[in-house]
């Protein structure tokens, strides 16, 4: 019992929990946010989330049961549709880091909104269990989140970051900032 307490109250874990909670809060409150603001904020929080995940101390599950999950299919879909609405025609991107790409002669299309919803689902489930305050389940939730980062959402995060970078910095000649887009490109 003492070992999991040391792990879950480690400074790096607390910092990860803080960033993860901010990420979830931002995603949950994204409705009505303008695309430039959403992209700009997301481009700042995703690298921080990635960094904090890489600094987590090693941890293995100790319990027999899987921790509870709180993100429903409906919650997932509402978040995905909200982000898709914000990004509109900028939501899709070509993914080259997909295992199926080896066997395909066609590019594989991914969606930023779906990737962010996937990341959110894992992170929110972790935060939910962590807030319950039960050491063993907190420890197991951390171990699962860490494993999912390594196998799943870490790669989605960096792929999404690349796609968001494209949205933010690679505007086409015909799109150079109309009245609805307020990225400040003026030299400082």
């Amino acid at each position: 019992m003492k070992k999991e307490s040391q792990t879950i109250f480690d400074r790096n874990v607390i910092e990860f929990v803080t960033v993860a909670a901010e990420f979830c809060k931002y995603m949950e409150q994204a409705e009505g946010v303008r695309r430039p603001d959403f992209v700009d904020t997301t481009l700042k929080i995703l690298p921080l989330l990635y960094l904090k995940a890489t600094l987590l101390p090693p941890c293995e599950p100790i319990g027999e049961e899987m921790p509870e999950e709180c993100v429903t299919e409906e919650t997932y879909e509402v978040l995905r549709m909200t982000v898709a609405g914000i990004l509109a025609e900028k939501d899709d991107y070509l993914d080259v880091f997909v295992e199926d790409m080896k066997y395909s002669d066609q590019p594989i299309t991914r969606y930023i909104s779906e990737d962010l919803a996937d990341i959110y689902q894992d992170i929110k489930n972790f935060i939910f269990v962590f807030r319950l305050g039960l050491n063993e389940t907190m420890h197991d939730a951390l171990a699962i989140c860490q494993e999912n980062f390594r196998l799943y959402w870490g790669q989605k995060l960096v792929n999404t970051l690349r796609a968001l970078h494209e949205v933010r910095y690679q505007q086409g000649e015909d799109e150079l900032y109309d009245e609805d887009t307020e990225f400040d490109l003026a030299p400082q």
Side-chain angles (χ1 to χ4, degrees), residues 124-143:
K124 183 65 175 188
N125 286 333
F126 162 73
I127 292 296
F128 173 76
V129 171
F130 214 83
R131 285 184 175 159
L132 296 176
L134 304 171
N135 287 5
E136 186 176 308
T137 55
M138 291 166 68
H139 182 87
D140 286 356
L142 177 63

Side-chain angles (χ1 to χ4, degrees), residues 9-28:
F9 296 114
D10 179 269
R11 186 178 128 242
N12 289 324
V13 173
I14 301 304
E15 289 177 3
F16 175 73
V17 168
T18 303
V19 173
E22 285 301 314
F23 168 76
C24 290
K25 180 180 173 186
Y26 187 73
M27 290 295 124
E28 291 163 356

Side-chain angles (χ1 to χ4, degrees), residues 37-103:
D37 298 330
F38 179 82
V39 170
D40 194 47
T41 300
T42 307
L43 278 170
K44 291 174 182 157
I45 199 165
L46 287 179
L48 190 54
L49 184 63
Y50 187 89
L51 173 65
K52 296 302 179 183
T54 64
L55 296 174
L56 290 170
C59 161
E60 295 291 326
I62 53 176
E64 298 293 319
E65 296 181 28
M66 293 293 289
E68 191 175 344
E69 295 182 351
C70 71
V71 178
T72 64
E73 194 173 315
E74 180 183 344
T75 302
Y76 175 96
E77 193 58 25
V78 167
L79 184 104
R80 188 198 62 74
M81 289 181 355
T82 298
V83 174
I86 293 168
L87 295 171
E89 76 282 355
K90 301 291 186 180
D91 189 26
D92 63 326
Y93 68 97
L94 299 179
D95 191 355
V96 295
F97 294 106
V98 178
E99 190 66 28
D100 296 342
M101 187 70 178
K102 293 180 200 176
Y103 311 109

